[in-house]
């Protein structure tokens, strides 16, 4: 059972997202973006190509400018989001990336170098990213340490 | 007489006529023959075709005909009113990719929205939602009409942009369609027409497509984008959720083109940044008056607050946060474009929290 967060866990989600077309909501469309997720001390780079998540890498924080944008939240909030998805089959309205973004004073996505064009990819492909996280609903998960 | 014998008789009757062999001279007219573009991992995309002479995108396109870029010209073609013939007037490097993305990101309001998930809402909330959507329909309509007005004036030399904007216009029509259906499918109806000062400014903008882009996207675009974000977060059911998620993605794609185009225009034209500064100074107070318009403001607050009662405190607080976010997004985009706004119009400035206000200009 993969542990969240880990490359194994993200690869399990990736496998499900890439192979189950029912997880791609209406109008999802293709996505060309690299998103970094800062979870605890780890940074995961998710590369989306077309209708798939092509690759997951764990990268150093110093290499974050490889990403178009990055999402950073305290570990308990990531876990709350993942647990909510597992309980409901998909994020409820209080736990979507969009809602979390709105609840943070400065928003959720940041772009290296404050590049507005790259940051806006988060909104352009919001459905794809949400579909990806919702794909974790079917993944048996062990939650890692919160500290 | 049978059909076969009738044909034979006709053929025999003209057999003495000598027919010259076809010359087919047109076959020699190609500026570059033998091109074989291979499809890539994601198919054969519009941008992949920019090889050889077909990828030569000139800074200025003198041709006023409908000749596709790369085709041989036919002498004597009368000019057509393509007034936008310089690359800096419309170009964005991302246009071909955005076109591909737009035609693949397709959704059909009639069948892709789970309309059966709609359920009756309290009367005040239903009225507020229908009012919000009535005004968003008008904004989408102004965007559509502005795009089509300028798109037909764009030279064929820049077909990537023309094609992207053709789909962008269709996308606006899709939004209007979806909003209208939402209004008329849940026991409500359309609300009150918007005063639409920004709509008028957009539609009356005649200085060029770049000027229209400044008004539609740079100035008002973030306010529309943030409305979609909040309406998505406050969706009452799966149907609304699907509508606003799609609208957010679509609108963000339009914003990507706009920012990319403005960046290009500013880079290529020395005076463009100063022109945009002037346009923003003229437009900011118009936008601020639209934002402050009590009808849309209260309707949004009621939706965000879950009713008239909740709208007074919680809803208005959310509305103020949304407006603040929109203005900050706008100022960030200006800075990213290199047209930092050290001063903004008084009315717009007043919409920011006191400790975040910039130096206002006298006007507005």
């Amino acid at each position: 059972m993969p542990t969240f967060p880990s490359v194994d866990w993200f690869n399990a989600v990736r496998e499900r997202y890439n192979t189950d077309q029912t997880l791609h909501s209406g109008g999802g469309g293709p996505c060309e973006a690299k998103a970094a997720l800062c979870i605890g001390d780890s940074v995961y780079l998710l590369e989306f190509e077309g209708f798939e998540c092509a690759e997951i890498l764990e990268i150093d924080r110093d290499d974050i400018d490889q990403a178009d944008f990055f999402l950073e939240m305290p570990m308990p909030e990531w876990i709350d989001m993942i647990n909510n998805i597992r309980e409901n089959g998909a994020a409820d309205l209080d736990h979507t990336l969009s809602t979390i973004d709105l609840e943070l004073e400065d928003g959720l996505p940041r772009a290296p170098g404050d590049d507005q064009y790259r940051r806006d990819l988060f909104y352009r492909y919001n459905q794809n990213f949400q579909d990806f996280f919702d794909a974790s609903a079917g993944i048996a998960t062990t939650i890692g340490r919160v500290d | 007489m049978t059909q076969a014998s009738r044909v034979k008789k006709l053929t025999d009757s003209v057999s003495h006529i000598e027919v010259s062999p076809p010359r087919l001279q047109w076959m020699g007219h190609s500026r570059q023959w033998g091109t074989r573009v291979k499809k890539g991992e994601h198919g054969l995309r519009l941008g992949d075709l920019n090889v050889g002479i077909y990828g030569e995108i000139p800074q200025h396109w003198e041709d006023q005909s409908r000749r596709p870029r790369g085709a041989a010209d036919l002498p004597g073609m009368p000019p057509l009113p393509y007034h936008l013939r310089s690359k800096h007037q419309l170009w964005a490097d991302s246009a071909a990719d955005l076109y591909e993305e737009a035609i693949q990101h397709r959704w059909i309001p009639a069948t892709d929205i789970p309309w059966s998930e709609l359920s009756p809402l309290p009367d005040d909330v239903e009225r507020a939602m229908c009012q919000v959507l009535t005004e968003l329909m008008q904004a989408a309509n102004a965007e559509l009409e502005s795009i089509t007005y300028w798109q037909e004036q764009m030279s064929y030399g820049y077909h990537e942009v023309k094609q992207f904007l053709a789909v962008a216009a269709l996308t606006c029509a899709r939004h209007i369609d979806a909003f209208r259906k939402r209004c008329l499918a849940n026991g409500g109806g359309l609300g009150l027409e918007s005063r639409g000062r920004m709509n008028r400014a957009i539609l009356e903008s005649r200085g060029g497509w770049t000027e229209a882009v400044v008004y539609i996207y740079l100035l008002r675009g973030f306010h529309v984008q943030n409305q979609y974000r909040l309406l998505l977060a406050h969706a009452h059911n799966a149907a609304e959720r699907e509508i606003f998620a799609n609208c957010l993605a679509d609108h963000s794609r339009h914003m990507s083109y706009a920012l990319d185009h403005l960046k290009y225009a500013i880079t290529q034209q020395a005076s463009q940044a100063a022109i945009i500064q002037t346009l923003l100074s003229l437009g900011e107070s118009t936008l601020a008056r639209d934002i402050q318009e009590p009808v849309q403001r209260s309707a949004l607050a009621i939706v965000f607050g879950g009713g008239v009662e909740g709208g007074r405190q919680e809803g208005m607080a959310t509305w103020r946060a949304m407006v603040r976010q929109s203005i900050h997004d706008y100022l960030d985009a200006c800075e990213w474009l290199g047209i930092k706004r050290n001063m903004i119009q008084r009315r717009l400035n007043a919409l920011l929290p006191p400790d975040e206000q910039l130096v206002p200009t006298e006007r507005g």
Side-chain angles (χ1 to χ4, degrees):
Chain A
M1 189 181 297
T3 301
F4 174 86
S6 67
V7 171
D8 284 347
W9 186 86
F10 279 113
N11 271 325
V13 178
R14 182 174 78 91
E15 176 70 19
R16 182 156 188 251
Y17 174 77
N18 289 352
T19 53
D20 187 347
Q21 288 306 305
T22 63
L23 295 170
H24 295 244
S25 58
C31 172
E32 306 288 339
K34 291 180 184 178
L37 310 176
C38 304
I39 308 174
D41 294 332
S42 303
V43 180
Y44 300 93
L45 183 70
L46 281 58
E47 185 169 352
F48 289 83
E49 283 185 9
F51 293 90
E52 293 187 341
C53 177
E55 193 169 27
I56 311 276
L57 296 170
E58 186 166 1
I59 60 172
D60 289 337
R61 179 105 198 175
D62 293 344
D63 295 329
I64 207 162
D65 58 357
Q66 290 179 30
D68 291 309
F69 62 86
F70 59 94
L71 310 179
E72 187 162 24
M73 292 193 286
M75 184 68 148
E77 292 184 27
W78 282 111
I79 291 172
D80 185 39
M81 184 184 89
I82 296 302
N83 281 337
N84 180 269
I85 290 169
R86 288 164 66 202
E87 286 162 14
N88 297 297
D92 69 16
L93 275 177
D94 292 330
H95 292 83
T96 60
L97 293 170
S98 191
T99 300
I100 294 168
D101 170 41
L102 285 165
E103 287 176 351
L104 297 171
E105 190 174 359
D106 293 322
L108 182 57
R110 310 271 170 79
D114 284 334
D115 185 330
Q116 180 119 8
Y117 185 85
R118 293 165 81 189
R119 196 196 69 149
D120 275 357
L121 293 175
F122 171 76
Y123 300 109
R124 217 164 101 196
Y125 300 129
N126 190 275
Q127 279 176 285
N128 302 72
F129 305 134
Q130 190 62 58
D131 290 345
F132 179 84
F133 276 106
D134 286 348
S136 71
I139 306 297
T141 300
T142 301
I143 298 296
R145 289 176 55 183
V146 177
D147 57 4
Chain B
M1 185 182 287
T2 64
Q3 179 69 13
S5 58
R6 230 184 264 122
V7 170
K8 183 173 187 317
K9 186 180 176 189
L10 184 64
T11 307
D12 290 346
S13 70
V14 298
S15 62
H16 62 285
I17 298 173
E18 201 171 294
V19 179
S20 61
R23 289 186 294 173
L24 302 177
Q25 285 180 320
W26 56 268
M27 284 193 173
H29 287 278
S30 174
R31 293 185 55 221
Q32 184 174 312
W33 192 249
T35 310
R36 281 194 180 80
V37 179
K38 298 274 192 298
K39 80 180 180 79
E41 194 180 346
H42 304 301
L44 189 58
R45 299 189 292 187
L46 184 63
D48 299 335
L49 304 178
N50 285 342
V51 297
I53 61 142
Y54 302 104
E56 291 171 4
I57 306 164
Q59 292 300 317
H60 191 73
W61 187 259
E62 296 291 350
D63 196 330
Q64 280 188 257
S65 76
R66 289 197 183 90
R67 179 169 65 91
R69 192 175 75 219
D73 63 312
L74 185 64
M77 290 302 289
L80 290 160
Y82 295 122
H83 301 305
L84 301 180
R85 302 202 302 280
S86 290
K87 196 175 178 185
H88 70 84
Q89 294 174 307
L90 51 93
W91 187 253
D93 285 338
S94 60
D97 289 342
L98 290 171
Y99 163 76
E100 291 288 354
E101 187 179 308
I103 60 171
Q104 293 180 53
H105 183 117
R106 53 185 181 268
W107 55 287
I108 305 165
T111 52
D112 286 339
I113 302 301
W115 295 112
S116 58
E117 298 287 325
L118 287 177
S119 55
L121 296 173
D123 187 62
D124 53 352
V125 178
E126 182 65 26
R127 285 179 189 279
M129 179 60 89
C130 289
Q131 179 59 42
V132 168
L133 293 178
T134 300
E135 299 210 19
L136 284 173
M137 281 168 62
Q138 288 184 254
N141 199 54
E143 183 181 348
L144 184 157
E145 289 186 17
S146 182
I147 289 172
T148 51
Y149 174 82
W150 291 107
Q151 196 263 8
E152 70 171 3
Q153 298 183 55
M154 292 178 182
S155 158
Y156 269 66
Y158 309 110
H159 62 254
E160 292 90 342
V161 175
K162 278 181 85 77
Q163 285 175 235
F164 168 69
L165 291 177
V167 185
L170 170 64
T171 301
C172 292
R174 186 179 282 141
H175 292 183
I176 296 165
D177 175 24
F179 298 157
R180 190 174 186 86
K181 283 171 178 159
R182 166 60 191 83
C183 287
L184 302 185
N186 203 34
L190 298 185
L192 184 66
E193 177 187 9
S194 149
R195 287 190 190 279
R197 296 177 185 89
M198 273 306 293
N199 290 336
R200 184 168 288 276
I202 289 164
L203 292 170
E204 291 180 350
S205 157
R206 289 291 181 266
W209 170 238
T210 303
E211 178 178 316
V213 168
V214 167
Y215 284 146
I216 302 171
Y217 301 110
L218 179 58
L219 192 51
R220 184 170 71 178
F222 293 104
H223 184 53
V224 173
Q225 189 179 47
N226 280 306
Q227 285 182 66
Y228 289 150
R229 288 170 65 201
L230 274 155
L231 289 168
L232 172 59
H234 290 83
H236 301 97
N237 46 62
E240 290 181 3
R241 190 170 168 170
E242 196 73 23
I243 291 170
F244 296 123
N246 278 307
C247 289
L248 176 61
D250 290 340
H251 184 71
S252 300
R253 189 167 56 248
H254 298 185
M255 295 293 287
S256 293
Y257 162 77
L259 292 179
D260 201 14
H261 166 58
L262 293 175
K263 190 94 169 171
Y264 182 83
I266 288 167
T267 309
Q268 297 296 314
Q269 284 291 101
S271 59
Q272 192 65 63
I275 292 171
I276 292 175
Q277 287 278 17
T278 306
L279 291 170
L280 295 176
S281 295
L282 293 169
E284 280 173 355
S285 58
T286 306
L287 174 68
R289 292 177 76 187
D290 265 8
I291 291 174
Q292 287 173 309
E293 192 62 47
V295 176
Q296 186 75 339
R297 184 181 59 195
S298 55
L300 283 165
I302 291 167
V303 172
F304 300 155
V308 171
E309 209 46 49
R312 291 200 174 99
Q313 296 293 327
E314 184 190 339
M316 276 308 296
T318 306
W319 179 86
R320 277 191 288 272
M322 178 190 75
V323 171
R324 172 192 175 274
Q325 184 64 48
S326 300
I327 297 172
H328 278 287
D329 287 346
Y330 157 67
L331 294 172
D332 288 349
C334 288
E335 188 167 354
W336 181 75
L337 289 166
I339 45 174
K340 188 170 168 55
R341 302 285 290 156
N342 293 316
M343 294 187 290
I344 60 174
Q345 294 292 326
R346 182 175 53 81
R347 281 179 189 276
L348 195 65
N349 200 44
L351 292 170
L352 285 170
D355 59 331
E356 294 177 12
Q357 291 184 358
L358 307 179
V359 179
T361 56
E362 290 300 316
R363 296 178 55 201

